[in-house]
Amino acid sequence: LRSALEANPLGAVLQDVLGENNDGLQCYMDDYVDMAHRTASRDVHSLVRSALIAALLEVQRAEGGEPVLDVAVIHVAHSLAHARLHCLVDLLNRMPRELVRECAKTFGGGTPTEKDVEILVLHRVLQSLIPKSSSFSTLSACKTWIARLVKVGSAVDALFAALEVVSGAPPSQDLLEKSRWLWARLSAVRLFLEHVTMPCASEMFLFYASYKLFTVLPEACDFRRAHSMSTLIAFLNGCITGEFVFEDDGPRCQGCGQPPVNATRLPCEHIMCITCMDSQSAKCLNCEEAIPVTCVPSKEDSGRLHVEDVVKFKEESKKFFMDLVSSLCFSVTSGTTVHPPEPALIELLLDMVSRQRAIRYLSPFEDDDGGQEVVVRSFLLQLLLRSSEESVTRHVQRHLEIAQEYSASEEYNSDLALLFVHCYEDAQHNRCSGIKDQGDEGRAAGYVLKNLQQAQSIMQDLKWQERRTLDVETLRAVAVVRFSLSHTAEWISELITERLGAPTGRASQHADNLENSARQRQQIAHRLAQAANNLCEAMTSPTVQIFLIKEIVHRIGLDRFRLAIADPTLELEWIVPDLLRHDEGEDAIPDRFIVLGESYRTTREAVTNAVLSSSTRPLEEVVTNTDRSLKHVAPVGLLLSLYREVTMCQAESSQFQPTGAEYLAKLRDFVGRRGLLRPDASRLALQLLGNEQGAALAHVKVSPGQSGMVRSLAALVVHFACVLSQCAPPTSGHPLEVFAALAFKPDTMRKALLPTMPEDDLPAIRNALPESNTHWYECPNGHRYYVANCGSPMQEYQCNVCRVRIGGTSGTLDTANRVASAADQSESGHILGAAHLRSASAVPERDLNPASCALMRILLHMSLVWAASSSDQGKLAALASIIHPALPVGANIGQFFWAHLERDIQVFAKAIGKGIDHVLLSLHHLFAAMTECKANAGSGVDLGLSNRTTRRRWEKAFEHEFFTKFFETMEEGVTEAQRALMNDERLGNDKLMRAVFEVDARAAVPSADEAGHLDPSLWRYRVRASIGGLMHMLAPQKENFPVLFTFLHHEHTLRAIQYLPEIVQLQRRLVDRYSRRIDRKTAEEYTIKRFLSEQTDMDKELLGTMITAYEDAWMLVREQLYQHGRLKPSEECRYGVIKRRSPLTFLLPTTEGFGRNPTALVDFLVSAHNEFLEAYGGVKKMKVNDFQRVSLFDSTHAQLISYDGSRHLLPLVLSHCHYTVEPGQGMLVQYDLAALEKHLEQRFIIGRPMVDMAEIRLVFSEDVHNTSQMVALRRRIPQAELPKASQHDILSELRDLPQVCSVISDLEITIGHLIATGGRPDMMLAEYMDNVLKMKSDAKLISQKLSHCCRLENILSVWCLLMVERSKRLAMLREDAFDDVAETFKEELQPGDREDLESWLAALSQHRDTFVAALLEFIVGELNQRNAKRNHAWPDWQLMEAMDSCGIGGKYPKEMPDALQCRHAVAVWMIAARC
């Protein structure tokens, strides 16, 4: 750095001003501190300055010799200490002013100390937070203390992380370790207050216990050690058993001053014992506030303290314990470095998990006696497995052996086995998900295939059918089989879905760009299926087959599964074992209408009896005895019974057949004359009796040979149509009337804005932007954009959507563009287009969350399908008129809407994370609830949906009326419906269905003997806990928990922010190394693997970690980058995977090509962080200025919303949920959303600053060709022409083309540095290259004349000389000298124009060489391919005019002919250069 400063004009100035003036250098350091850290006060400045002085001493000691203070030392010291200095400033800005002032007096002033200033300040801050007994005397006092801790929390974590990489003196390291211990104690107390004390505020003892916890924890508190954890567990048990006695610092009665035995906490939060309350009037002795009569002291016989509500205390303490384990035992303190717990702690935690009475509950309590928190235990064991799998498996094996020796409880052994299997299975899923996140599905499938093959070998070697004792190897093999088969089921399900022609969940519009073609995916699925078949054949029991069936059916539904195994082309019949084969004559079509309850069952049996007896008397009896309260249930049940028992029998040979036209006439007469049905319902009944409901759509009409899936969807459509016909009569104002109008009178909805359809966002955007200076325009294809400031387009760009030209020049709009209309352009009708072009994922619309939107679209398309199945040409014409864009002439309208309905079912299933059968049952359950609805939620809303406002109001009202409760009770409703379905006598013999849905233990899995003496529960189906499941349950309550909902809504994006610090470090290192030193071609040929191979071992590991972080972030958000990113990445990489063999340009941040990807990624992640904080601030009524700010270069993990989903977020979620286990449903989850939202804020959001974006940009060496770069060089260093004689000598010494090109390359590197840093014009070029760039000029410049005569003021002249020479030599070799120039500028001259040019050149005389050099500079700088976006208009420009506009035209004796345009530029140069 000293050498660089000496070679720079600025260095000379600094030397003249400062020299060895110590006072001047001190002032320079003061100014530098203020500039770099923006210190807010003198005290902060003093502390930062002291810390910098300590860093200066480190640098001086490292240099050796006599200490030297100069500008170079100051900058180097600051560079090394910059991260921790920034964290120190952040911490100081959060501290109370009095404490900062105290620290400044003690540690400031610049006096050297044996301990680092940052550590001294950190320790003092933590000491100030040490609680006293009065700190937790009241609830408000607890909140105040927590607020103080949270305010500095993120800054403390950031400083710990920055100091972790510092190897200071032993005294500093000792104090740093003590600070860590103290921070662990304070953090544990905070978690106890939040989880236990405050939720149990009525427990007076807990306020004292919170302080007691701090005192009992060891001074060397480290929760990665067994001693600290044992102390904590003993404390929690002591709170229950009464092991704590009053001490001098404990709470006291406000009256007598004695320990509060038989006392209570008053509403004013003061404490009084029963004696003082009886002897005084009904007032508090401290504040004289009245004491309510309901305030009764607790009765306690001893002076010992314990909690009264033990159940509540245990429940809250479990949450506390889980949060503490995840955040302090398995903490991440530096980047992604995990500090594992010691073996003794692993032993302790495993003892807790495997203790006989505690096996179910993951409890720190010795006397725990109840709970169902199965998955929480799984979470703990997964953390342990991730930390040390080998030691965990060894411990589990030992526990299993001990358990089998002393435990007579088979349930205990089964629980421990089940726990380990689920944990190990989840660990395998996480590994496979990591491979998938990298975008390599083929490798993920290979991982599954390998596990399948290994599982088969292991199971055979273990002879698991003969094993009668549990061991880890057997359980691990079971876990691997479960994992492998679940992923195999995923591939088989996709194969079935694709083969049967339903939506696959993949974006078909980009199918050609997917890495694996459909054929390759089918081959993978077949290989996995064959491996699974081999595994099943190797087993002597059908256990594995049944498990695989359950996994497949829960993905695609039982109907589609039956169809698949019957399809010989799929070759999947082997999956179903003989004991589950379907016997002839069995009814295989489930009657999902059974969700309507007992009234439907009774009506259905009455219809059956009526048909068999050819008499309507059974129906008469049912109608007569119907409960009047079932206003709509009975009529809808009658319609569905007719459909089930009369209409569907025409397609089922196993059922009865109608008795003929005479009896059908009786039924028609019955449904028409009773008055039970409304007019629309009566007409519908007549259609059902004649199977005429599908006149125009074969899918709705019942016919033999239909697939089970088609029949199931048709049954859904019929059910919804029955509800609409009976429950939503015209003009009733019922919210269902919108769908009823679409189903029965679509002509009335021609102009309606249909529910869930997208709308024009421009009005909302206009309202959000300033009106005075924003003008909106449209590209030729109608895509809108705006111009800010003056509103007049001054530049041309490309449309982000279609890439056509937009904008304009000189305030004039491009002729192909137009001013955007200010009117709302929301379209009426159906505007989704073809179903296969829709997104496979649920998307939100307006106030509807993704799941609600997907569900409402199902109802919409069901209504339209019903209308389209009619033979009424008027209805069909009305439907055709609402479809935009219009369908081709002759297209089947019903088929169009049916395809959308199929897509809707798939999208909704994906949105709620359930299988098709679950979705079908849930929809029937929803229709049953609609049937019973008596509300009139649509009152006051325009049901014609004539404008966007009324549509939004109606959607919100409809969602509130039907969807909110539906989502809350869906799991319970489906479970109840499933139970009713299985108990239906019509389905009693369907072994396959009973096994799949685990109706009973016998049907769910084979017996223990058949399962190889393993507990059958090991093979039960389960749904893994996930963030998606939480989001689904939160959706109906999003208004109550806005922070939690917003966080989870953006969680997939926020998860990628954890990689930002590593990505920034990587880009800065690459820019420092390669900027202006590498050309594009070399970078494109230079692979990432080769780059890493050339690094030292230390750098290779570090850079490898950084590159992996970049790859992971890219795979997480690349699709969102293309859809929502402010900067659009390279289209070529949209579906590609970044691998080690990829070119280095994938990592180099530039503005074009592959380099746009890292630039866009960093911009996107910074925007995601800031936009979420803005949204959070909006919820909390905070302003943007209320947030701290940090530079991108200074940001650390502790300052960002940085977390790992499986290691940080999921544990937090699991610590706030409760589980119940239902057969076939896995685990039903309930969440403590309020507590979860609060702790999520504290862990990931509060205290995080906004990030100020900083540009990281690499410049390729050839970018100096750009004329703007040349102009910048001339401004930095005035340029002069090299003498002609010297030019001639230089060319004579460069004998061949490679030498010329080599010198040009080195000159361009030098020019790039001169543009950035400048230099003395009279400095010799060779001296600059030797002393500043360290480039060894004698080897680089080749020409001795060039080394001896060229100064920095001549560098541009030499570069132009050699560029001309290079081009001439290439032309002589008949090679393209301008291969990087667009073909547009290589047009040949007409004969007349050539003559004019030669005449003009002849007139130039001695100016000819100057013109040749200037034209060459213009061609390579402006007309290259890289500038194609901005030079598209130049072909028609007059050549000299274009050169003049770039500042390189020059003055010549004669005007250039006007006919010579930029399109002739290359031809003109070739003639002028005599090539």
Side-chain angles (χ1 to χ4, degrees):
L1 181 58
R2 286 194 183 101
S3 299
L5 286 172
E6 290 171 0
N8 193 284
L10 176 62
V13 173
L14 290 174
Q15 180 64 29
D16 292 340
V17 174
L18 300 177
E20 298 181 0
N21 183 347
N22 189 65
D23 292 339
L25 288 170
Q26 295 292 338
C27 292
Y28 179 87
M29 184 164 56
D30 286 337
D31 291 343
Y32 188 71
V33 167
D34 284 335
M35 179 191 70
H37 298 286
R38 302 175 186 174
T39 51
S41 66
R42 290 183 178 274
D43 294 325
V44 174
H45 175 92
S46 174
L47 288 166
V48 177
R49 187 176 185 277
S50 297
L52 180 57
I53 289 176
L56 282 169
L57 295 176
E58 291 180 25
V59 173
Q60 291 174 342
R61 284 194 295 267
E63 273 196 308
E66 289 295 326
V68 177
L69 179 62
D70 59 14
V71 173
V73 172
I74 294 174
H75 281 269
V76 170
H78 184 269
S79 175
L80 295 174
H82 180 263
R84 64 181 194 262
L85 289 179
H86 178 80
C87 294
L88 173 63
V89 172
D90 187 23
L91 178 60
L92 291 169
N93 289 336
R94 297 165 186 256
M95 291 164 50
R97 292 182 179 179
E98 295 77 11
L99 186 59
V100 175
R101 188 174 299 112
E102 177 191 333
C103 291
K105 290 180 179 179
T106 308
F107 314 126
T111 303
T113 63
E114 63 176 357
K115 298 178 183 178
D116 293 331
V117 174
E118 302 94 319
I119 299 176
L120 290 168
V121 172
L122 174 63
H123 190 70
R124 182 65 190 90
V125 170
L126 299 183
Q127 285 182 319
S128 71
L129 294 170
I130 294 177
K132 302 177 182 178
S133 59
S134 59
S135 299
F136 309 135
S137 59
T138 64
L139 192 61
S140 59
C142 294
K143 292 179 179 179
T144 300
W145 185 85
I146 291 175
R148 290 174 57 206
L149 196 74
V150 169
K151 184 176 181 180
V152 301
S154 63
V156 169
D157 289 334
L159 189 52
F160 271 130
L163 291 170
E164 184 170 328
V165 298
V166 177
S167 56
S172 290
Q173 293 303 307
D174 291 344
L175 187 61
L176 180 61
E177 190 68 15
K178 291 180 180 179
S179 299
R180 291 189 192 280
W181 296 337
L182 180 55
W183 184 238
R185 294 168 70 193
L186 295 171
S187 299
V189 173
R190 176 177 69 86
L191 293 175
F192 187 80
L193 286 168
E194 292 171 345
H195 283 285
V196 183
T197 303
M198 296 170 70
C200 303
S202 60
E203 293 279 0
M204 181 180 58
F205 158 65
L206 290 179
F207 289 87
Y208 173 67
S210 303
Y211 168 70
K212 191 69 177 177
L213 173 60
F214 181 82
T215 62
V216 300
L217 287 173
E219 182 178 345
C221 182
D222 186 346
F223 287 103
R224 292 168 293 172
R225 298 177 182 174
H227 175 62
S228 299
M229 187 60 68
S230 299
T231 304
L232 175 69
I233 294 171
F235 166 80
L236 294 175
N237 280 295
C239 290
I240 296 175
T241 58
E243 295 181 6
F244 296 110
V245 297
F246 286 110
E247 299 178 2
D248 293 340
D249 56 359
R252 299 283 168 172
C253 170
Q254 300 293 331
C256 61
Q258 297 300 312
V261 180
N262 299 337
T264 190
R265 184 177 297 277
L266 304 178
C268 59
E269 298 193 347
H270 296 129
I271 299 173
M272 287 184 66
C273 66
I274 190 172
T275 304
C276 293
M277 289 182 66
D278 290 342
S279 62
Q280 303 292 331
S281 59
K283 291 183 179 181
C284 172
L285 295 177
N286 187 286
C287 64
E288 297 188 354
E289 183 176 326
I291 302 176
V293 294
T294 56
C295 192
V296 181
S298 59
K299 300 296 181 181
E300 190 60 56
D301 296 331
S302 69
R304 294 186 175 273
L305 302 178
H306 65 82
V307 295
E308 297 178 1
D309 190 345
V310 175
V311 175
K312 175 72 171 175
F313 176 75
K314 284 186 176 183
E315 179 183 347
E316 300 301 331
S317 293
K318 288 173 188 175
K319 299 175 184 177
F320 156 69
F321 186 73
M322 286 307 304
D323 202 353
L324 183 139
V325 167
S326 64
S327 59
L328 299 181
C329 292
F330 299 87
S331 60
V332 177
T333 58
S334 178
T336 56
T337 303
V338 178
H339 300 269
E342 66 177 8
L345 179 60
I346 295 178
E347 178 82 19
L348 173 65
L349 295 177
L350 283 169
D351 281 342
M352 290 168 47
V353 172
S354 57
R355 197 168 56 232
Q356 182 173 357
R357 284 188 298 173
I359 182 63
R360 289 181 177 272
Y361 317 116
L362 179 58
S363 171
F365 305 113
E366 296 174 357
D367 64 341
D368 206 339
D369 60 353
Q372 291 180 324
E373 298 173 4
V374 180
V375 174
V376 179
R377 291 185 305 114
S378 301
F379 143 72
L380 177 61
L381 196 53
Q382 282 184 67
L383 288 179
L384 292 168
L385 281 169
R386 190 179 292 115
S387 173
S388 178
E389 180 177 326
E390 181 180 352
S391 60
V392 169
T393 52
R394 185 172 60 251
H395 288 311
V396 170
Q397 177 62 43
R398 183 173 61 81
H399 284 300
L400 286 171
E401 293 171 354
I402 295 174
Q404 291 174 27
E405 289 178 6
Y406 73 77
S407 175
S409 170
E410 293 184 3
E411 180 183 8
Y412 163 66
N413 294 333
S414 299
D415 281 343
L416 187 56
L418 188 63
L419 170 66
F420 184 82
V421 167
H422 286 176
C423 288
Y424 198 83
E425 179 190 357
D426 287 342
Q428 293 291 101
H429 279 294
N430 290 336
R431 290 170 189 161
C432 191
S433 297
I435 299 175
K436 277 188 173 181
D437 286 342
Q438 297 174 8
D440 196 341
E441 285 192 319
R443 193 158 68 91
Y447 180 77
V448 175
L449 181 62
K450 179 181 177 181
N451 276 273
L452 268 176
Q453 295 167 344
Q454 290 180 347
Q456 178 182 344
S457 175
I458 293 172
M459 296 295 259
Q460 289 175 326
D461 293 343
L462 291 174
K463 299 180 180 179
W464 71 299
Q465 276 86 3
E466 302 174 9
R467 300 177 80 89
R468 296 183 177 276
T469 59
L470 292 173
D471 61 75
V472 169
E473 288 304 313
T474 302
L475 298 179
R476 185 150 47 183
V478 171
V480 170
V481 171
R482 286 178 59 99
F483 153 75
S484 303
L485 291 182
S486 66
H487 278 273
T488 300
E490 187 175 332
W491 282 89
I492 293 176
S493 299
E494 185 176 310
L495 175 66
I496 292 172
T497 305
E498 289 177 349
R499 187 65 59 85
L500 298 181
T504 64
R506 295 184 174 274
S508 57
Q509 65 266 39
H510 299 302
D512 294 338
N513 297 323
L514 294 175
E515 185 177 359
N516 297 312
S517 66
R519 180 177 298 178
Q520 290 173 323
R521 299 186 63 78
Q522 291 175 8
Q523 291 173 351
I524 292 173
H526 281 299
R527 284 200 297 270
L528 290 173
Q530 184 59 50
N533 188 8
N534 296 338
L535 175 64
C536 294
E537 289 179 352
M539 303 293 101
T540 60
S541 85
T543 306
V544 175
Q545 287 170 275
I546 296 175
F547 179 78
L548 179 59
I549 291 172
K550 286 187 278 191
E551 290 287 339
I552 296 175
V553 169
H554 278 86
R555 285 173 169 81
I556 65 172
L558 190 58
D559 294 327
R560 185 163 285 154
F561 176 75
R562 290 189 193 277
L563 189 62
I565 59 176
D567 187 342
T569 64
L570 289 171
E571 301 178 351
L572 296 176
E573 62 277 359
W574 59 269
I575 295 180
V576 182
D578 292 337
L579 64 88
L580 297 183
R581 293 283 176 184
H582 191 67
D583 296 332
E584 289 295 329
E586 290 184 2
D587 181 10
I589 305 175
D591 184 3
R592 296 187 177 93
F593 302 144
I594 202 75
V595 299
L596 270 73
E598 190 61 33
S599 64
Y600 166 76
R601 191 193 300 267
T602 302
T603 305
R604 184 187 67 181
E605 297 309 315
V607 171
T608 302
N609 294 332
V611 173
L612 291 174
S613 63
S614 297
S615 170
T616 59
R617 179 172 298 177
L619 285 173
E620 296 278 359
E621 294 175 357
V622 169
V623 171
T624 302
N625 298 325
T626 296
D627 186 346
R628 293 293 182 184
S629 65
L630 302 177
K631 180 179 179 182
H632 298 309
V633 176
V636 172
L638 174 61
L639 291 171
L640 296 177
S641 298
L642 293 174
Y643 177 75
R644 176 74 187 182
E645 303 303 318
V646 178
T647 311
M648 290 189 67
C649 74
Q650 300 181 46
E652 297 299 321
S653 58
S654 62
Q655 294 186 1
F656 58 85
Q657 296 293 330
T659 56
E662 182 178 349
Y663 179 67
L664 286 178
K666 291 183 180 180
L667 285 177
R668 290 191 182 95
D669 181 65
F670 172 78
V671 299
R673 65 181 170 83
R674 290 298 302 176
L676 177 64
L677 303 177
R678 296 186 185 275
D680 285 336
S682 181
R683 286 190 290 271
L684 176 57
L686 296 177
Q687 287 180 323
L688 295 177
L689 288 173
N691 195 19
E692 299 170 354
Q693 71 281 357
L697 182 60
H699 292 311
V700 179
K701 184 181 179 69
V702 179
S703 57
Q706 283 180 318
S707 70
M709 190 62 192
V710 170
R711 265 183 233 161
S712 296
L713 285 183
L716 267 179
V717 174
V718 170
H719 192 170
F720 191 48
C722 293
V723 173
L724 295 178
S725 65
Q726 181 63 30
C727 304
T731 69
S732 65
H734 196 284
L736 284 171
E737 189 179 338
V738 169
F739 293 123
L742 288 169
F744 303 119
K745 296 180 179 180
D747 57 309
T748 64
M749 303 294 285
R750 289 175 184 262
K751 301 297 183 182
L753 298 179
L754 297 186
T756 75
M757 294 297 108
E759 68 183 15
D760 183 12
D761 293 329
L762 184 57
I765 297 174
R766 283 180 180 273
N767 292 334
L769 293 174
E771 296 181 4
S772 58
N773 59 351
T774 302
H775 293 247
W776 286 86
Y777 304 95
E778 291 179 357
C779 79
N781 296 318
H783 303 125
R784 294 166 176 170
Y785 62 94
Y786 74 90
V787 178
N789 298 327
C790 67
S792 299
M794 305 300 293
Q795 292 178 301
E796 293 182 341
Y797 297 93
Q798 284 184 331
C799 175
N800 284 335
V801 181
C802 62
R803 300 296 179 181
V804 302
R805 188 190 310 167
I806 61 173
T809 57
S810 302
T812 303
L813 184 68
D814 184 274
T815 55
N817 289 243
R818 57 184 175 271
V819 177
S821 171
D824 180 9
Q825 297 184 17
S826 299
E827 294 185 72
S828 61
H830 188 281
I831 58 175
L832 296 179
H836 71 277
L837 296 179
R838 282 174 49 194
S839 170
S841 301
V843 294
E845 284 291 348
R846 292 171 290 280
D847 298 325
L848 297 175
N849 63 66
S852 294
C853 184
L855 180 55
M856 192 171 289
R857 279 190 180 164
I858 290 177
L859 305 185
L860 171 69
H861 287 121
M862 281 185 178
S863 305
L864 295 170
V865 163
W866 184 260
S869 68
S870 171
S871 59
D872 187 333
Q873 293 301 312
K875 287 185 179 180
L876 295 177
L879 290 174
S881 68
I882 69 172
I883 299 175
H884 308 293
L887 295 180
V889 177
N892 190 314
I893 298 175
Q895 186 61 50
F896 172 82
F897 289 128
W898 184 270
H900 275 284
L901 178 58
E902 286 186 317
R903 170 65 66 149
D904 292 333
I905 297 293
Q906 295 284 337
V907 169
F908 184 62
K910 184 177 180 180
I912 64 174
K914 300 294 182 180
I916 299 299
D917 284 304
H918 188 287
V919 169
L920 296 177
L921 264 182
S922 65
L923 289 172
H924 283 290
H925 173 65
L926 172 63
F927 298 159
M930 288 178 172
T931 305
E932 300 173 0
C933 175
K934 300 177 182 179
N936 192 19
S939 179
V941 178
D942 174 16
L943 298 181
L945 307 185
S946 58
N947 58 65
R948 55 192 292 153
T949 303
T950 56
R951 173 169 62 182
R952 184 184 292 267
R953 288 175 57 195
W954 178 87
E955 286 174 340
K956 193 170 184 179
F958 192 94
E959 180 188 31
H960 175 75
E961 181 61 37
F962 294 115
F963 292 174
T964 300
K965 187 174 182 181
F966 165 73
F967 282 119
E968 290 175 355
T969 62
M970 184 177 68
E971 298 295 341
E972 299 175 7
V974 169
T975 301
E976 182 180 346
Q978 206 168 61
R979 191 176 294 113
L981 189 64
M982 298 306 151
N983 293 330
D984 187 7
E985 61 274 12
R986 304 287 183 90
L987 204 61
N989 295 324
D990 193 336
K991 302 174 184 177
L992 180 58
M993 179 172 279
R994 298 185 71 84
V996 166
F997 295 105
E998 300 175 352
V999 177
D1000 50 46
R1002 173 183 59 79
V1005 289
S1007 65
D1009 290 335
E1010 294 173 305
H1013 305 289
L1014 293 178
D1015 192 292
S1017 63
L1018 294 177
W1019 298 102
R1020 285 192 179 275
Y1021 174 79
R1022 75 182 182 108
V1023 178
R1024 297 174 62 230
S1026 66
I1027 304 301
L1030 171 61
M1031 185 63 178
H1032 157 62
M1033 298 196 69
L1034 176 65
Q1037 308 177 62
K1038 61 182 181 181
E1039 292 83 3
N1040 300 328
F1041 307 100
V1043 174
L1044 181 60
F1045 178 82
T1046 304
F1047 184 92
L1048 295 180
H1049 189 69
H1050 297 93
E1051 192 275 326
H1052 187 75
T1053 301
L1054 296 176
R1055 184 182 301 184
I1057 296 175
Q1058 64 178 308
Y1059 303 113
L1060 183 59
E1062 283 76 23
I1063 295 173
V1064 172
Q1065 290 180 46
L1066 173 65
Q1067 292 188 3
R1068 296 187 72 179
R1069 292 186 65 147
L1070 290 172
V1071 168
D1072 288 344
R1073 177 164 182 168
Y1074 291 115
S1075 188
R1076 297 188 174 91
R1077 299 183 183 183
I1078 191 172
D1079 58 79
R1080 282 180 178 79
K1081 185 176 181 181
T1082 303
E1084 290 169 357
E1085 296 172 350
Y1086 199 57
T1087 64
I1088 298 174
K1089 181 178 180 180
R1090 179 182 168 190
F1091 164 71
L1092 288 174
S1093 68
E1094 296 174 355
Q1095 310 302 316
T1096 64
D1097 290 341
M1098 182 179 298
D1099 281 349
K1100 185 184 297 183
E1101 181 179 356
L1102 179 60
L1103 288 167
T1105 302
M1106 294 177 183
I1107 293 173
T1108 300
Y1110 175 79
E1111 294 167 348
D1112 292 344
W1114 173 257
M1115 297 309 302
L1116 274 174
V1117 301
R1118 63 176 178 178
E1119 195 60 35
Q1120 294 167 280
L1121 268 173
Y1122 285 96
Q1123 294 176 0
H1124 308 297
R1126 188 175 66 89
L1127 303 177
K1128 300 299 179 185
S1130 170
E1131 191 67 31
E1132 296 88 339
C1133 300
R1134 184 164 190 171
Y1135 301 99
V1137 179
I1138 300 173
K1139 300 179 180 178
R1140 291 298 190 261
R1141 62 175 180 269
S1142 300
L1144 188 63
T1145 48
F1146 274 51
L1147 305 178
L1148 302 177
T1150 63
T1151 57
E1152 56 188 30
F1154 294 147
R1156 292 210 310 265
N1157 301 348
T1159 303
L1161 179 60
V1162 170
D1163 181 82
F1164 181 80
L1165 294 179
V1166 171
S1167 298
H1169 174 86
N1170 291 342
E1171 287 171 5
F1172 175 79
L1173 289 181
E1174 286 183 18
Y1176 172 76
V1179 173
K1180 296 296 183 179
K1181 309 300 182 185
M1182 298 170 61
K1183 298 179 181 179
V1184 175
N1185 294 335
D1186 294 336
F1187 290 94
Q1188 299 283 337
R1189 304 198 72 88
V1190 62
S1191 168
L1192 173 63
F1193 297 150
D1194 299 328
S1195 59
T1196 63
H1197 289 279
Q1199 295 167 315
L1200 299 172
I1201 305 173
S1202 175
Y1203 65 92
D1204 179 87
S1206 60
R1207 197 164 61 230
H1208 302 135
L1209 182 58
L1210 190 58
L1212 185 65
V1213 171
L1214 292 177
S1215 66
H1216 291 84
C1217 57
H1218 310 280
Y1219 300 86
T1220 57
V1221 181
E1222 292 288 346
Q1225 295 296 311
M1227 281 153 287
L1228 302 183
V1229 187
Q1230 291 181 330
Y1231 295 93
D1232 185 351
L1233 297 177
L1236 175 58
E1237 182 179 62
K1238 180 180 71 174
H1239 292 112
L1240 183 139
E1241 285 186 64
Q1242 294 170 349
R1243 286 282 295 276
F1244 304 132
I1245 304 174
I1246 293 178
R1248 268 50 175 185
M1250 292 280 188
V1251 176
D1252 290 329
M1253 185 63 188
E1255 183 179 89
I1256 310 174
R1257 192 68 49 82
L1258 179 136
V1259 179
F1260 287 110
S1261 59
E1262 68 268 30
D1263 285 346
V1264 297
H1265 298 170
N1266 192 299
T1267 53
S1268 62
Q1269 296 291 306
M1270 298 304 179
V1271 171
L1273 176 61
R1274 291 186 177 99
R1275 288 174 180 169
R1276 280 279 190 179
I1277 305 175
Q1279 293 295 296
E1281 186 79 9
L1282 193 67
K1284 294 294 182 181
S1286 298
Q1287 294 184 21
H1288 182 271
D1289 293 341
I1290 291 171
L1291 293 179
S1292 65
E1293 291 179 350
L1294 299 175
R1295 305 190 178 206
D1296 53 32
L1297 181 61
Q1299 288 181 333
V1300 174
C1301 293
S1302 176
V1303 175
I1304 289 174
S1305 177
D1306 292 323
L1307 285 177
E1308 289 173 347
I1309 293 174
T1310 306
I1311 290 172
H1313 283 277
L1314 290 173
I1315 293 172
T1317 63
R1320 297 199 316 270
D1322 60 344
M1323 188 176 187
M1324 298 302 296
L1325 173 62
E1327 180 186 357
Y1328 182 83
M1329 295 178 70
D1330 286 334
N1331 297 336
V1332 179
L1333 301 185
K1334 310 297 183 184
M1335 290 180 66
K1336 296 182 179 180
S1337 63
D1338 54 343
K1340 297 292 184 181
L1341 295 180
I1342 301 175
S1343 168
Q1344 292 296 322
K1345 187 66 175 178
L1346 179 58
S1347 299
H1348 293 144
C1349 71
C1350 183
R1351 303 178 184 275
L1352 295 185
E1353 64 184 0
N1354 308 127
I1355 191 170
L1356 190 53
S1357 174
V1358 175
W1359 177 81
C1360 290
L1361 172 70
L1362 296 183
M1363 285 295 292
V1364 170
E1365 184 65 17
R1366 169 185 172 275
S1367 301
K1368 287 182 178 181
R1369 295 190 185 189
L1370 286 172
M1372 291 173 60
L1373 297 172
R1374 298 188 180 279
E1375 294 184 17
D1376 189 355
F1378 301 99
D1379 56 347
D1380 191 37
V1381 175
E1383 293 297 323
T1384 312
F1385 306 106
K1386 296 180 180 180
E1387 187 174 313
E1388 292 296 332
L1389 289 169
Q1390 297 296 325
D1393 295 334
R1394 185 184 182 96
E1395 293 176 2
D1396 292 341
L1397 172 62
E1398 291 177 344
S1399 174
W1400 182 76
L1401 290 172
L1404 291 184
S1405 185
Q1406 71 271 21
H1407 298 288
R1408 181 165 183 158
D1409 290 341
T1410 304
F1411 170 71
V1412 169
L1415 179 56
L1416 179 68
E1417 183 181 338
F1418 174 71
I1419 292 174
V1420 298
E1422 290 298 325
L1423 305 185
N1424 54 62
Q1425 298 283 5
R1426 299 183 301 279
N1427 294 333
K1429 292 181 182 178
R1430 70 169 186 265
N1431 62 26
H1432 58 268
W1434 276 10
D1436 298 327
W1437 275 45
Q1438 202 274 339
L1439 182 56
M1440 187 57 68
E1441 182 183 349
M1443 294 173 64
D1444 285 337
S1445 69
C1446 297
I1448 54 177
K1451 295 182 179 181
Y1452 302 100
K1454 188 178 179 181
E1455 293 290 332
M1456 177 182 282
D1458 293 340
L1460 300 180
Q1461 299 177 334
C1462 287
R1463 66 177 70 252
H1464 307 123
V1466 172
V1468 170
W1469 188 89
M1470 297 293 285
I1471 295 172
R1474 299 184 179 91
C1475 295

